[in-house]
Structure formats: C-alpha cells, structure tokens
C-alpha cells in the first residue's frame, strides 16, 4: 500500500493539476484561513481552484462526497472522519468600545452578562453544540435575550457597535470584527469553566489517500503552523486573546 501511494504521489503534479476542491464552512473566520491557504495554492498550482460552498449540513456534505473538506468545531464528530487541528477556538466576549461591561472593576462574572441582549451565532450543529454561547446561557428559556441569531456573524458587527448587544465568538472572528468596527474583546467570565475546543479540517476516508487531496491538506497544515506562530508573537506582546492577569 505504501508503494502504491508513493507511485500515486509521483503522478500528481500541482503545477499541472486542474482540480477543483470544495470547502464547506459557515465560520466567519474562515476568511482568515483562506487568506493563508489561497496564496500558497495559487503560487504552487496555478490551475487549481478552491470553491467555498455553503451546505446545510457540513458533516454530511463531507461524508457524502459533496465537499472535499469542512472547517468545523471538533464536537461530536463521527470517528470515521479524518481531522486535522487548525487552531483552538479561544472564545471571547465581543462588545462595543465603552460598553458598560468594559467599565467594571475586576473580572467579569456570568451573572453580569445575563442581563444584556445578545447576538447568537447559529452553527447548524446538533443540540450538543447549538452555539458558541451555550453553557453561559444554558438555563435561559425561550432565548428571551437573543435579539438576533445568524450564521453570518459579520452581519451583526455594525449593530453591536451602536448598541449594548453582546456576543460570544472565537478570537479570530473577533480580530476581524475589531478591524472593521469600534469593538473590543473581553475574556469570558472568570467563573465560567470551559474545556478546550479546536476548530479542525475534516475529510472522508474515501479522499484520504488521494494524492491531490493530501497535497491540499498540506497547505492547511502549513497555515496552521504559521497561525500558531503568529498567535505566539501576539501573546508575547500582550496583544492576543484577552486573559485575566
């Protein structure tokens, strides 16, 4: 099998390939990943295409062969799916600059958040992972404080800038939001315990040995290494994910 795979790899020439890869993801920060992967792909494989598509069920799209990859949070994924860690979720609280929560002395507590209306990010996943803020507001009935729910998080940034709406999101999405609007990121409440979660690249076993597919996965791996180094440098400058000191 190793010899066969080696022969297949030799037959794949990125510079001549005309392959179109389909990637599925609803994450706002997918643009951060694409900005790192796409230039590498264009430089090394000028005829290869990447199609970022939206599917109602990203996991099913990968399993059924409708998508080559998906970028998704690694929660309750089937064991037959292959996965590659890309970056930790690193969730934060996104609010406007000057929001009352930014004026507090001392760390945030969960009860401080529960009085504010919020933007809820839909993931399209199962009940076990309905949204990034699950856990913080798990006892809220009928979503009474959710004023806007969306899978397109960027559609709410302007409204968050002009109101006291709050939202829980991943750090890389918050980075994009803070570049575009007058927003700031706060650490999650100090009394909220969360296990580390990762966003991952997933693919099916039927694609696993495809040499073109392996090559494309290598580009994502390169980006993941580069992004980890970028985050390390931000942390050294105290410009990374906000933490309590």
């Amino acid at each position: 099998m190793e010899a066969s795979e080696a022969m297949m790899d030799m037959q794949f020439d990125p510079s001549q390939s005309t392959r179109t890869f389909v990637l599925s993801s609803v994450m706002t920060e997918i643009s951060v990943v694409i900005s790192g992967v796409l230039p590498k792909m264009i430089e090394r494989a000028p005829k290869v295409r990447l199609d970022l598509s939206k599917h109602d069920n990203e996991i099913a799209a990968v399993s059924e062969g409708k998508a080559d990859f998906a970028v998704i949070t690694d929660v309750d994924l089937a064991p037959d799916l292959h996965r590659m860690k890309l970056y930790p979720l690193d969730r934060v609280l996104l609010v406007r600059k000057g929001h009352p929560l930014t004026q507090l002395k001392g760390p945030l507590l969960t009860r401080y958040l529960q009085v504010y209306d919020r933007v809820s990010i839909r993931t399209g996943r199962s009940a076990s992972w309905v949204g990034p803020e699950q856990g913080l507001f798990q006892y809220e009935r009928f979503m009474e404080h959710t004023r806007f729910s969306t899978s397109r998080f960027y559609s709410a940034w302007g409204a968050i800038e002009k109101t006291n709406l709050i939202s829980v999101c991943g750090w890389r999405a918050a980075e994009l939001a803070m570049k575009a609007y007058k927003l700031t990121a706060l650490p999650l409440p100090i009394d909220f315990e969360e296990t580390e979660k990762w966003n991952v690249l997933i693919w099916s076993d039927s694609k696993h040995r495809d040499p073109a597919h392996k090559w494309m996965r290598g580009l994502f791996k390169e980006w993941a290494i580069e992004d980890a180094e970028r985050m390390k440098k931000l942390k050294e400058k105290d410009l990374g994910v906000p933490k309590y000191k």
Side-chain angles (χ1 to χ4, degrees):
M1 182 175 291
E2 289 180 357
S4 176
E5 289 182 6
M7 289 183 64
M8 289 176 64
D9 288 343
M10 291 177 62
Q11 293 170 2
F12 173 65
D13 182 357
S15 66
Q16 298 302 315
S17 176
T18 58
R19 180 80 167 260
T20 296
F21 294 96
V22 178
L23 172 66
S24 181
S25 183
V26 299
M27 294 179 175
T28 300
E29 64 266 29
I30 190 62
S31 60
V32 178
V33 182
I34 295 300
S35 70
V37 171
L38 197 58
K40 301 179 190 301
M41 187 194 81
I42 292 172
E43 178 184 2
R44 303 174 196 178
K47 299 178 183 179
V48 168
R49 299 175 179 85
L50 181 62
D51 177 11
L52 178 60
S53 299
K54 184 179 185 299
H55 298 89
D56 292 334
N57 187 322
E58 297 159 305
I59 300 173
V62 169
S63 297
E64 296 168 7
K66 297 176 182 177
D68 292 282
F69 310 99
V71 175
I72 197 167
T73 303
D74 191 359
V75 175
D76 291 344
L77 293 179
D80 61 336
L81 286 172
H82 295 270
R83 69 203 73 185
M84 175 198 301
K85 285 185 175 181
L86 293 179
Y87 56 93
L89 189 51
D90 291 332
R91 299 194 304 169
V92 296
L93 184 72
L94 189 68
V95 300
R96 67 173 175 84
K97 288 188 176 180
H99 191 285
L101 289 174
T102 66
Q103 309 302 315
L104 295 174
K105 295 181 180 180
L108 288 177
L109 297 175
T110 302
R111 59 187 174 89
Y112 298 163
L113 273 57
Q114 294 174 337
V115 300
Y116 289 100
D117 291 336
R118 68 178 185 272
V119 171
S120 179
I121 306 171
R122 294 198 307 269
T123 66
R125 300 286 296 277
S126 66
S128 62
W129 183 239
V130 295
E133 74 274 16
Q134 186 186 30
L136 277 170
F137 307 104
Q138 58 184 324
Y139 300 113
E140 181 183 272
R141 299 184 62 191
F142 310 117
M143 300 175 67
E144 63 260 29
H145 281 293
T146 298
R147 301 299 298 277
F148 181 57
S149 58
T150 180
S151 60
R152 298 174 178 85
F153 186 36
Y154 55 82
S155 64
W157 293 344
I160 295 174
E161 181 188 56
K162 298 173 183 176
T163 66
N164 282 338
L165 287 168
I166 65 175
S167 189
V168 177
C169 66
W171 168 250
R172 287 156 187 80
E175 284 183 299
L176 295 172
M178 291 187 291
K179 288 178 181 178
Y181 293 90
K182 295 177 181 178
L183 303 173
T184 190
L186 302 174
L188 293 185
I190 197 169
D191 59 339
F192 175 65
E193 295 183 5
E194 181 180 43
T195 56
E196 184 181 58
K197 295 182 177 66
W198 282 74
N199 286 338
V200 296
L201 183 76
I202 63 170
W203 62 93
S204 68
D205 191 61
S206 64
K207 305 279 189 178
H208 187 60
R209 294 179 178 83
D210 180 341
H213 209 270
K214 289 168 64 176
W215 175 83
M216 192 66 186
R217 297 197 303 264
L219 301 187
F220 282 91
K221 185 175 182 179
E222 285 184 40
W223 173 84
I225 294 171
E226 291 169 359
D227 189 67
E229 184 62 27
R230 179 183 72 89
M231 292 297 295
K232 180 181 177 181
K233 291 179 180 178
L234 285 176
K235 183 177 180 180
E236 291 171 351
K237 298 177 181 179
D238 201 24
L239 297 173
V241 182
K243 302 287 185 182
Y244 294 112
K245 297 179 180 179

